[in-house]
Amino acid sequence: MRMKVSKWKKTIILDIMLAPALILTLIFSYIPMAGLVMAFQNYKPALGMTGSQWIGLDHFEFLFSIPENIQLIWNTLIIAGMKMAANLIVPFIFALLLNEIRRIFFRRMVQTIVYMPHFLSWVLVGGILIDLLAQNGGLVNQTLTSVFGMKPIFFMGDGDWFRFVVVVSDVWKEFGFNTIVFLAALAGINPSLYEAAEADGAGRWQQTWAITMPSMLPITIVVGTLALGSILNGGFDQIFNLYNALVFDKGDIIDTFVYRYGIIGGKFSFSTAVGLFKSIVSLVLIVMAYRMAYKLANYRIF
Amino acid sequence: MYLPFIHILAVSFSGKAAASANLVKLWPIDFTLDAYVTTIANGNFLRSIWVTLQRTVIGTVFGMLVVVFAAYPLSKETSSFKRRNMYIWYFVFTMLFSGGLVPYYILLRNLDMLNTLWVLILPGAVSVWNMILLLNFFRGIPKEMEEASLIDGAGHIRTLIRVYLPISTPALATLSLFTLVGHWNSWFDGLLFMTNHENYPLATYLQTVIVQQDFSKVSVRPEDLENISQRTVKAAQIFIGMAPILLLYPFLQRFFVKGIVLGAVKE
């Protein structure tokens, strides 16, 4: 008994050190989770969560019965899916190319340059893109018309072009940063493998196919599966700073919809239901993705 | 890859007429600093910078304190701190699932936190991701150092401050930098929780003026309206918003990049 008390005394300080983080998380993460009951109510701010009328799954039925809402889910899946593929392939190839540069100084310089946009906010990048891609007189359309003799493209007003802009600009901003993890994997490959291959007379291409590619497979699987967990994340910051009413049909995603409908439109309950749908699907996907990453590549975060 | 930045920079230094006629490409035409003068003379802009400075400094210090003090106990082995796993899952679960935007907004509104500086600092203070990175880093520190310190009679807090923190400076620098940049760039919380435009941080102010092009929320005098909607002024504001990151980045690059590698270091 005495032992137990002194052990408690020894570790109680650790609990105290954790207290601020525990309390902040309780307030700002767990209490909002309790607020999810709104999704099953017809929430009226004046009545509060205890006084509002319960309506069961009506909001969810509504979500799946209106074509516009289904379109919203499709938009999110399409945009997130295209980004996921592009953000896996481009950094992978870029890392391989960068790895072929033998001059350390030059390689460092390229890395520094391509990482930078990752640290800029989408507000600024969005502002630049809107200016650059303007239909009348934006630099891109000016170049297309005067140099290539094309008609100006309505990048920000045509849904398909908008999706294209979203994917390309996301790759442009993030590909450098996404190469870091691949470069780390490349640096970890045992150099004696290459030496042995060279002694056997393998060329650079053969070495890439026989050594580099298989060695990169585990990390590629990890990055790919973990990305699956965010298949319902179209990228709120980016879309919100680029879109406008003209492209809602093809560019609106779940998160932007929840903001517009819930916060601006005041339809608290329905948008909570939409958010809950997203959270649950994401939870299931993330858990599955981590399990897969652990099984396939023995990856754990902590 | 950097052409968009150069173009914006060129526009910001160009004369009004040339810029609105879309003549500027990658080099300023009719070089002038007018756009910067107009921007700096704008009271809304200056006020928003002040809000951002406050939230960035207080937010980074506060956030790092919370994360450091939480990461230390969580880096202990389960054998010496039984409740560790339970606490870790308590935090990690918030990364997997959330109440979503609307309940979050309603909570902060009910807490009467709208339009306070704290709404920009407290809700985001616990970065579970940073906590995991730091606890993984702490676990790489040889146990003998901790044991020696505890045997010498130092408590856990003293061990953290005297033993752990000094050898963790690279990790702490990286995480502080990430927190700092996060605060500087953060715009959505300002838009969501500041109903009074005078409390907008810089990023939110820029979002309203440049992206939404909504001037109704930032009460400008009619005579200033023309100035603010100028293309050159917008470009100058974008550039000022990027400037701290552009200036710091080349020097601190190794810290910026370390963040992601930090997470990869584990046994």
CSV table of all heavy atoms in Angstrom, one decimal, chain B residues 112-167:
chain,number,residue,atom,x,y,z
B,112,ASP,N,-18.5,32.8,-25.7
B,112,ASP,CA,-18.3,34.3,-25.7
B,112,ASP,C,-16.8,34.7,-26.1
B,112,ASP,O,-16.3,35.6,-25.6
B,112,ASP,CB,-18.6,34.9,-24.4
B,112,ASP,CG,-19.6,36.0,-24.5
B,112,ASP,OD1,-19.8,36.4,-25.7
B,112,ASP,OD2,-20.3,36.4,-23.5
B,113,MET,N,-16.2,33.8,-26.9
B,113,MET,CA,-14.8,34.1,-27.3
B,113,MET,C,-14.7,34.8,-28.6
B,113,MET,O,-13.6,35.2,-29.0
B,113,MET,CB,-14.1,32.8,-27.4
B,113,MET,CG,-13.7,32.2,-26.0
B,113,MET,SD,-12.8,30.7,-26.1
B,113,MET,CE,-11.2,31.2,-26.7
B,114,LEU,N,-15.8,35.1,-29.3
B,114,LEU,CA,-15.7,35.8,-30.6
B,114,LEU,C,-15.1,37.2,-30.4
B,114,LEU,O,-15.3,37.8,-29.3
B,114,LEU,CB,-17.1,35.9,-31.3
B,114,LEU,CG,-17.9,34.7,-31.6
B,114,LEU,CD1,-19.0,35.0,-32.6
B,114,LEU,CD2,-17.0,33.6,-32.1
B,115,ASN,N,-14.3,37.6,-31.3
B,115,ASN,CA,-13.7,38.9,-31.3
B,115,ASN,C,-12.7,39.1,-30.2
B,115,ASN,O,-12.3,40.2,-29.8
B,115,ASN,CB,-14.7,40.0,-31.2
B,115,ASN,CG,-15.5,40.1,-32.5
B,115,ASN,OD1,-14.8,40.2,-33.5
B,115,ASN,ND2,-16.8,40.1,-32.4
B,116,THR,N,-12.2,38.0,-29.6
B,116,THR,CA,-11.1,38.1,-28.6
B,116,THR,C,-9.8,37.6,-29.2
B,116,THR,O,-9.9,36.8,-30.2
B,116,THR,CB,-11.3,37.3,-27.3
B,116,THR,OG1,-11.4,35.9,-27.7
B,116,THR,CG2,-12.6,37.8,-26.6
B,117,LEU,N,-8.7,38.0,-28.7
B,117,LEU,CA,-7.4,37.5,-29.2
B,117,LEU,C,-7.3,36.0,-28.9
B,117,LEU,O,-6.7,35.3,-29.7
B,117,LEU,CB,-6.3,38.3,-28.6
B,117,LEU,CG,-4.9,38.0,-29.1
B,117,LEU,CD1,-4.7,38.4,-30.6
B,117,LEU,CD2,-3.8,38.7,-28.3
B,118,TRP,N,-7.9,35.6,-27.8
B,118,TRP,CA,-7.7,34.2,-27.3
B,118,TRP,C,-8.3,33.2,-28.3
B,118,TRP,O,-7.9,32.0,-28.3
B,118,TRP,CB,-8.3,34.0,-25.9
B,118,TRP,CG,-7.5,34.8,-25.0
B,118,TRP,CD1,-7.9,35.9,-24.3
B,118,TRP,CD2,-6.2,34.5,-24.6
B,118,TRP,NE1,-6.9,36.4,-23.5
B,118,TRP,CE2,-5.8,35.5,-23.7
B,118,TRP,CE3,-5.3,33.5,-24.9
B,118,TRP,CZ2,-4.5,35.6,-23.1
B,118,TRP,CZ3,-4.0,33.6,-24.3
B,118,TRP,CH2,-3.7,34.6,-23.4
B,119,VAL,N,-9.3,33.6,-29.1
B,119,VAL,CA,-9.9,32.7,-30.0
B,119,VAL,C,-9.0,32.3,-31.1
B,119,VAL,O,-9.1,31.3,-31.7
B,119,VAL,CB,-11.2,33.3,-30.6
B,119,VAL,CG1,-11.0,34.2,-31.7
B,119,VAL,CG2,-12.2,32.2,-31.0
B,120,LEU,N,-7.9,33.1,-31.3
B,120,LEU,CA,-6.9,32.8,-32.3
B,120,LEU,C,-5.8,32.0,-31.7
B,120,LEU,O,-4.9,31.5,-32.4
B,120,LEU,CB,-6.3,34.1,-32.9
B,120,LEU,CG,-7.3,35.1,-33.5
B,120,LEU,CD1,-6.6,36.3,-34.0
B,120,LEU,CD2,-8.1,34.5,-34.6
B,121,ILE,N,-5.8,31.8,-30.4
B,121,ILE,CA,-4.6,31.2,-29.7
B,121,ILE,C,-5.0,29.9,-29.1
B,121,ILE,O,-4.4,28.8,-29.4
B,121,ILE,CB,-4.0,32.1,-28.7
B,121,ILE,CG1,-3.4,33.3,-29.4
B,121,ILE,CG2,-3.0,31.4,-27.9
B,121,ILE,CD1,-2.9,34.4,-28.5
B,122,LEU,N,-6.0,29.9,-28.2
B,122,LEU,CA,-6.3,28.7,-27.4
B,122,LEU,C,-6.8,27.5,-28.2
B,122,LEU,O,-6.3,26.4,-28.0
B,122,LEU,CB,-7.4,29.1,-26.3
B,122,LEU,CG,-6.9,30.0,-25.2
B,122,LEU,CD1,-8.0,30.3,-24.2
B,122,LEU,CD2,-5.7,29.4,-24.5
B,123,PRO,N,-7.8,27.6,-29.1
B,123,PRO,CA,-8.4,26.4,-29.7
B,123,PRO,C,-7.3,25.6,-30.5
B,123,PRO,O,-7.4,24.4,-30.6
B,123,PRO,CB,-9.4,27.0,-30.7
B,123,PRO,CG,-9.8,28.3,-30.2
B,123,PRO,CD,-8.5,28.8,-29.6
B,124,GLY,N,-6.3,26.3,-31.1
B,124,GLY,CA,-5.3,25.6,-31.9
B,124,GLY,C,-4.1,25.3,-31.2
B,124,GLY,O,-3.1,24.8,-31.8
B,125,ALA,N,-4.0,25.6,-29.8
B,125,ALA,CA,-2.8,25.5,-29.1
B,125,ALA,C,-2.2,24.1,-29.0
B,125,ALA,O,-1.0,23.9,-29.1
B,125,ALA,CB,-2.9,26.1,-27.7
B,126,VAL,N,-3.1,23.1,-28.9
B,126,VAL,CA,-2.6,21.7,-28.8
B,126,VAL,C,-2.4,21.1,-30.2
B,126,VAL,O,-3.4,20.7,-30.8
B,126,VAL,CB,-3.5,20.9,-27.9
B,126,VAL,CG1,-3.0,19.5,-27.7
B,126,VAL,CG2,-3.8,21.5,-26.6
B,127,SER,N,-1.2,21.1,-30.7
B,127,SER,CA,-1.0,20.5,-32.0
B,127,SER,C,-0.5,19.1,-31.7
B,127,SER,O,0.6,18.8,-31.3
B,127,SER,CB,0.1,21.2,-32.7
B,127,SER,OG,0.6,20.4,-33.7
B,128,VAL,N,-1.5,18.1,-31.9
B,128,VAL,CA,-1.1,16.7,-31.6
B,128,VAL,C,0.0,16.2,-32.5
B,128,VAL,O,0.9,15.5,-32.0
B,128,VAL,CB,-2.4,15.8,-31.8
B,128,VAL,CG1,-2.1,14.4,-31.5
B,128,VAL,CG2,-3.5,16.3,-30.9
B,129,TRP,N,0.0,16.7,-33.7
B,129,TRP,CA,1.1,16.3,-34.6
B,129,TRP,C,2.5,16.7,-34.1
B,129,TRP,O,3.4,15.9,-34.0
B,129,TRP,CB,0.8,16.9,-36.0
B,129,TRP,CG,1.8,16.5,-37.0
B,129,TRP,CD1,2.7,17.2,-37.7
B,129,TRP,CD2,2.0,15.1,-37.5
B,129,TRP,NE1,3.4,16.4,-38.6
B,129,TRP,CE2,3.0,15.1,-38.5
B,129,TRP,CE3,1.4,13.9,-37.1
B,129,TRP,CZ2,3.4,14.0,-39.1
B,129,TRP,CZ3,1.9,12.7,-37.8
B,129,TRP,CH2,2.8,12.8,-38.8
B,130,ASN,N,2.6,18.0,-33.7
B,130,ASN,CA,3.9,18.5,-33.1
B,130,ASN,C,4.2,17.7,-31.8
B,130,ASN,O,5.4,17.4,-31.5
B,130,ASN,CB,3.8,19.9,-32.7
B,130,ASN,CG,3.9,20.8,-33.9
B,130,ASN,OD1,4.1,20.3,-35.0
B,130,ASN,ND2,3.7,22.1,-33.7
B,131,MET,N,3.2,17.3,-31.0
B,131,MET,CA,3.4,16.6,-29.8
B,131,MET,C,4.0,15.2,-30.1
B,131,MET,O,4.9,14.8,-29.5
B,131,MET,CB,2.0,16.4,-29.1
B,131,MET,CG,2.1,16.3,-27.7
B,131,MET,SD,0.6,17.1,-27.0
B,131,MET,CE,-0.6,15.8,-27.1
B,132,ILE,N,3.5,14.6,-31.2
B,132,ILE,CA,4.0,13.3,-31.5
B,132,ILE,C,5.5,13.4,-32.0
B,132,ILE,O,6.3,12.6,-31.6
B,132,ILE,CB,3.1,12.6,-32.6
B,132,ILE,CG1,1.8,12.2,-32.0
B,132,ILE,CG2,3.8,11.3,-33.2
B,132,ILE,CD1,0.8,11.7,-32.9
B,133,LEU,N,5.7,14.4,-32.9
B,133,LEU,CA,7.1,14.6,-33.3
B,133,LEU,C,8.0,14.8,-32.2
B,133,LEU,O,9.1,14.2,-32.1
B,133,LEU,CB,7.2,15.8,-34.3
B,133,LEU,CG,6.4,15.7,-35.6
B,133,LEU,CD1,6.7,17.0,-36.4
B,133,LEU,CD2,6.9,14.5,-36.4
B,134,LEU,N,7.6,15.6,-31.2
B,134,LEU,CA,8.5,15.9,-30.1
B,134,LEU,C,8.7,14.7,-29.2
B,134,LEU,O,9.8,14.4,-28.7
B,134,LEU,CB,8.0,17.1,-29.3
B,134,LEU,CG,8.9,17.8,-28.4
B,134,LEU,CD1,10.2,18.3,-29.1
B,134,LEU,CD2,8.3,18.9,-27.6
B,135,LEU,N,7.6,14.0,-29.0
B,135,LEU,CA,7.7,12.8,-28.0
B,135,LEU,C,8.6,11.7,-28.7
B,135,LEU,O,9.4,11.1,-28.0
B,135,LEU,CB,6.4,12.3,-27.6
B,135,LEU,CG,5.6,11.2,-28.4
B,135,LEU,CD1,6.0,9.8,-28.0
B,135,LEU,CD2,4.1,11.4,-28.1
B,136,ASN,N,8.5,11.6,-30.0
B,136,ASN,CA,9.4,10.7,-30.7
B,136,ASN,C,10.9,11.1,-30.5
B,136,ASN,O,11.8,10.3,-30.3
B,136,ASN,CB,9.1,10.6,-32.2
B,136,ASN,CG,8.0,9.5,-32.4
B,136,ASN,OD1,7.9,8.6,-31.6
B,136,ASN,ND2,7.2,9.7,-33.4
B,137,PHE,N,11.1,12.5,-30.6
B,137,PHE,CA,12.4,13.0,-30.4
B,137,PHE,C,12.9,12.7,-29.0
B,137,PHE,O,14.1,12.3,-28.8
B,137,PHE,CB,12.4,14.5,-30.7
B,137,PHE,CG,13.8,15.1,-30.8
B,137,PHE,CD1,14.5,15.1,-32.0
B,137,PHE,CD2,14.4,15.6,-29.7
B,137,PHE,CE1,15.8,15.6,-32.1
B,137,PHE,CE2,15.7,16.2,-29.8
B,137,PHE,CZ,16.4,16.2,-31.0
B,138,PHE,N,12.1,13.0,-28.0
B,138,PHE,CA,12.5,12.8,-26.6
B,138,PHE,C,12.8,11.3,-26.4
B,138,PHE,O,13.7,11.0,-25.6
B,138,PHE,CB,11.3,13.2,-25.7
B,138,PHE,CG,11.2,14.7,-25.4
B,138,PHE,CD1,10.0,15.2,-24.9
B,138,PHE,CD2,12.2,15.5,-25.8
B,138,PHE,CE1,9.9,16.5,-24.6
B,138,PHE,CE2,12.1,16.9,-25.6
B,138,PHE,CZ,10.9,17.4,-25.0
B,139,ARG,N,12.1,10.4,-27.1
B,139,ARG,CA,12.4,9.0,-26.8
B,139,ARG,C,13.8,8.6,-27.3
B,139,ARG,O,14.3,7.6,-26.9
B,139,ARG,CB,11.4,8.1,-27.5
B,139,ARG,CG,10.0,8.4,-26.9
B,139,ARG,CD,9.0,7.4,-27.5
B,139,ARG,NE,8.6,6.5,-26.5
B,139,ARG,CZ,7.9,5.4,-26.7
B,139,ARG,NH1,7.5,5.1,-27.9
B,139,ARG,NH2,7.5,4.7,-25.7
B,140,GLY,N,14.3,9.4,-28.3
B,140,GLY,CA,15.7,9.1,-28.8
B,140,GLY,C,16.8,9.5,-27.8
B,140,GLY,O,17.9,9.2,-28.0
B,141,ILE,N,16.4,10.3,-26.8
B,141,ILE,CA,17.4,10.7,-25.8
B,141,ILE,C,17.7,9.6,-24.9
B,141,ILE,O,16.8,8.9,-24.3
B,141,ILE,CB,16.8,11.9,-25.0
B,141,ILE,CG1,16.6,13.1,-25.9
B,141,ILE,CG2,17.8,12.3,-23.9
B,141,ILE,CD1,15.9,14.3,-25.3
B,142,PRO,N,19.0,9.3,-24.7
B,142,PRO,CA,19.5,8.2,-23.8
B,142,PRO,C,18.8,8.2,-22.5
B,142,PRO,O,18.8,9.2,-21.8
B,142,PRO,CB,21.0,8.3,-23.7
B,142,PRO,CG,21.4,9.2,-24.9
B,142,PRO,CD,20.2,10.0,-25.2
B,143,LYS,N,18.3,7.1,-22.0
B,143,LYS,CA,17.6,7.0,-20.7
B,143,LYS,C,18.5,7.3,-19.6
B,143,LYS,O,18.1,7.8,-18.5
B,143,LYS,CB,17.1,5.5,-20.6
B,143,LYS,CG,15.7,5.4,-21.0
B,143,LYS,CD,14.9,4.7,-20.0
B,143,LYS,CE,13.5,4.3,-20.6
B,143,LYS,NZ,13.7,3.8,-21.9
B,144,GLU,N,19.8,7.0,-19.7
B,144,GLU,CA,20.8,7.2,-18.6
B,144,GLU,C,20.7,8.6,-18.2
B,144,GLU,O,20.9,8.9,-17.0
B,144,GLU,CB,22.2,6.8,-19.0
B,144,GLU,CG,22.4,5.3,-19.3
B,144,GLU,CD,21.8,4.8,-20.6
B,144,GLU,OE1,21.6,5.7,-21.5
B,144,GLU,OE2,21.4,3.6,-20.7
B,145,MET,N,20.6,9.6,-19.1
B,145,MET,CA,20.6,11.0,-18.8
B,145,MET,C,19.4,11.3,-17.8
B,145,MET,O,19.6,12.0,-16.9
B,145,MET,CB,20.5,11.8,-20.0
B,145,MET,CG,21.7,11.6,-20.9
B,145,MET,SD,21.7,12.7,-22.3
B,145,MET,CE,22.1,14.3,-21.5
B,146,GLU,N,18.3,10.8,-18.2
B,146,GLU,CA,17.1,11.0,-17.3
B,146,GLU,C,17.3,10.4,-15.9
B,146,GLU,O,17.1,11.0,-14.9
B,146,GLU,CB,15.9,10.4,-18.0
B,146,GLU,CG,14.6,10.7,-17.2
B,146,GLU,CD,13.5,9.7,-17.5
B,146,GLU,OE1,13.6,8.9,-18.5
B,146,GLU,OE2,12.6,9.6,-16.7
B,147,GLU,N,17.8,9.1,-15.9
B,147,GLU,CA,17.9,8.4,-14.7
B,147,GLU,C,18.9,9.1,-13.8
B,147,GLU,O,18.7,9.3,-12.6
B,147,GLU,CB,18.4,7.0,-14.9
B,147,GLU,CG,17.2,6.1,-15.3
B,147,GLU,CD,17.7,4.8,-16.0
B,147,GLU,OE1,18.9,4.5,-16.0
B,147,GLU,OE2,16.8,4.1,-16.6
B,148,ALA,N,20.0,9.6,-14.4
B,148,ALA,CA,21.1,10.3,-13.6
B,148,ALA,C,20.5,11.5,-13.0
B,148,ALA,O,20.7,11.8,-11.8
B,148,ALA,CB,22.2,10.7,-14.5
B,149,SER,N,19.7,12.2,-13.7
B,149,SER,CA,19.1,13.5,-13.2
B,149,SER,C,18.1,13.2,-12.1
B,149,SER,O,18.1,13.9,-11.1
B,149,SER,CB,18.4,14.2,-14.4
B,149,SER,OG,17.5,15.2,-13.9
B,150,LEU,N,17.3,12.1,-12.3
B,150,LEU,CA,16.3,11.8,-11.2
B,150,LEU,C,17.0,11.3,-10.0
B,150,LEU,O,16.5,11.6,-8.9
B,150,LEU,CB,15.3,10.7,-11.8
B,150,LEU,CG,14.3,11.2,-12.9
B,150,LEU,CD1,13.5,10.1,-13.4
B,150,LEU,CD2,13.5,12.4,-12.3
B,151,ILE,N,18.0,10.5,-10.1
B,151,ILE,CA,18.8,10.0,-9.0
B,151,ILE,C,19.4,11.2,-8.2
B,151,ILE,O,19.5,11.2,-7.0
B,151,ILE,CB,19.8,9.0,-9.4
B,151,ILE,CG1,19.1,7.7,-9.8
B,151,ILE,CG2,20.8,8.7,-8.3
B,151,ILE,CD1,19.9,6.6,-10.4
B,152,ASP,N,19.9,12.2,-9.0
B,152,ASP,CA,20.4,13.3,-8.3
B,152,ASP,C,19.4,14.1,-7.5
B,152,ASP,O,19.7,15.2,-7.0
B,152,ASP,CB,21.1,14.3,-9.3
B,152,ASP,CG,22.4,13.7,-9.8
B,152,ASP,OD1,22.9,12.7,-9.2
B,152,ASP,OD2,23.0,14.2,-10.8
B,153,GLY,N,18.2,13.7,-7.6
B,153,GLY,CA,17.1,14.4,-6.8
B,153,GLY,C,16.4,15.4,-7.5
B,153,GLY,O,15.5,16.1,-7.0
B,154,ALA,N,16.6,15.6,-8.8
B,154,ALA,CA,15.8,16.5,-9.6
B,154,ALA,C,14.5,15.9,-9.9
B,154,ALA,O,14.3,14.7,-10.1
B,154,ALA,CB,16.5,16.9,-10.9
B,155,GLY,N,13.4,16.8,-9.9
B,155,GLY,CA,12.1,16.3,-10.2
B,155,GLY,C,11.9,16.2,-11.7
B,155,GLY,O,12.9,16.5,-12.5
B,156,HIS,N,10.7,15.8,-12.1
B,156,HIS,CA,10.5,15.7,-13.6
B,156,HIS,C,10.6,17.0,-14.3
B,156,HIS,O,11.1,17.1,-15.4
B,156,HIS,CB,9.1,15.0,-13.8
B,156,HIS,CG,9.2,13.5,-13.7
B,156,HIS,ND1,9.9,12.8,-14.5
B,156,HIS,CD2,8.6,12.7,-12.8
B,156,HIS,CE1,9.8,11.5,-14.1
B,156,HIS,NE2,9.0,11.4,-13.1
B,157,ILE,N,10.0,18.1,-13.7
B,157,ILE,CA,10.0,19.4,-14.3
B,157,ILE,C,11.5,19.9,-14.5
B,157,ILE,O,11.8,20.3,-15.6
B,157,ILE,CB,9.2,20.4,-13.5
B,157,ILE,CG1,7.7,19.9,-13.6
B,157,ILE,CG2,9.4,21.8,-14.1
B,157,ILE,CD1,6.8,20.9,-13.0
B,158,ARG,N,12.3,19.7,-13.5
B,158,ARG,CA,13.7,20.1,-13.6
B,158,ARG,C,14.4,19.3,-14.6
B,158,ARG,O,15.2,19.8,-15.4
B,158,ARG,CB,14.3,20.0,-12.2
B,158,ARG,CG,15.7,20.7,-12.2
B,158,ARG,CD,16.4,20.4,-10.9
B,158,ARG,NE,15.8,21.2,-9.8
B,158,ARG,CZ,16.6,22.2,-9.2
B,158,ARG,NH1,17.8,22.3,-9.5
B,158,ARG,NH2,16.0,22.9,-8.2
B,159,THR,N,14.1,18.0,-14.6
B,159,THR,CA,14.8,17.1,-15.6
B,159,THR,C,14.4,17.6,-17.0
B,159,THR,O,15.3,17.7,-17.9
B,159,THR,CB,14.3,15.7,-15.4
B,159,THR,OG1,14.6,15.3,-14.1
B,159,THR,CG2,15.1,14.7,-16.4
B,160,LEU,N,13.2,17.9,-17.2
B,160,LEU,CA,12.7,18.4,-18.6
B,160,LEU,C,13.5,19.6,-19.0
B,160,LEU,O,14.0,19.7,-20.1
B,160,LEU,CB,11.2,18.6,-18.6
B,160,LEU,CG,10.6,19.4,-19.7
B,160,LEU,CD1,10.8,18.6,-21.0
B,160,LEU,CD2,9.2,19.7,-19.5
B,161,ILE,N,13.6,20.6,-18.0
B,161,ILE,CA,14.1,21.9,-18.4
B,161,ILE,C,15.7,21.8,-18.5
B,161,ILE,O,16.3,22.4,-19.4
B,161,ILE,CB,13.7,23.0,-17.4
B,161,ILE,CG1,12.2,23.2,-17.5
B,161,ILE,CG2,14.4,24.3,-17.6
B,161,ILE,CD1,11.6,24.0,-16.4
B,162,ARG,N,16.3,21.1,-17.6
B,162,ARG,CA,17.8,21.1,-17.5
B,162,ARG,C,18.4,20.1,-18.4
B,162,ARG,O,19.5,20.2,-18.9
B,162,ARG,CB,18.2,20.8,-16.1
B,162,ARG,CG,17.9,21.9,-15.1
B,162,ARG,CD,19.0,23.0,-15.2
B,162,ARG,NE,18.5,24.2,-14.5
B,162,ARG,CZ,18.7,24.3,-13.2
B,162,ARG,NH1,19.3,23.3,-12.5
B,162,ARG,NH2,18.3,25.4,-12.5
B,163,VAL,N,17.7,18.9,-18.6
B,163,VAL,CA,18.3,17.9,-19.4
B,163,VAL,C,17.7,17.7,-20.8
B,163,VAL,O,18.4,17.8,-21.8
B,163,VAL,CB,18.2,16.5,-18.7
B,163,VAL,CG1,18.8,15.4,-19.5
B,163,VAL,CG2,18.8,16.6,-17.3
B,164,TYR,N,16.4,17.7,-20.9
B,164,TYR,CA,15.8,17.4,-22.2
B,164,TYR,C,15.8,18.6,-23.1
B,164,TYR,O,16.2,18.5,-24.3
B,164,TYR,CB,14.3,17.0,-22.0
B,164,TYR,CG,14.2,15.5,-21.7
B,164,TYR,CD1,14.7,15.0,-20.5
B,164,TYR,CD2,13.5,14.6,-22.6
B,164,TYR,CE1,14.5,13.6,-20.2
B,164,TYR,CE2,13.4,13.3,-22.3
B,164,TYR,CZ,13.9,12.8,-21.2
B,164,TYR,OH,13.8,11.5,-20.9
B,165,LEU,N,15.4,19.8,-22.6
B,165,LEU,CA,15.3,20.9,-23.5
B,165,LEU,C,16.6,21.3,-24.2
B,165,LEU,O,16.7,21.5,-25.4
B,165,LEU,CB,14.6,22.1,-22.8
B,165,LEU,CG,13.2,21.9,-22.4
B,165,LEU,CD1,12.5,23.2,-22.0
B,165,LEU,CD2,12.4,21.3,-23.6
B,166,PRO,N,17.7,21.4,-23.4
B,166,PRO,CA,19.0,21.8,-24.0
B,166,PRO,C,19.4,20.9,-25.2
B,166,PRO,O,19.9,21.4,-26.2
B,166,PRO,CB,20.0,21.8,-22.9
B,166,PRO,CG,19.2,21.9,-21.6
B,166,PRO,CD,17.9,21.2,-21.9
B,167,ILE,N,19.2,19.6,-25.1
B,167,ILE,CA,19.6,18.8,-26.2
B,167,ILE,C,18.6,18.7,-27.3
B,167,ILE,O,18.8,18.1,-28.3
B,167,ILE,CB,20.0,17.3,-25.8
B,167,ILE,CG1,19.2,16.8,-24.6
B,167,ILE,CG2,21.5,17.2,-25.5
B,167,ILE,CD1,19.6,15.4,-24.2
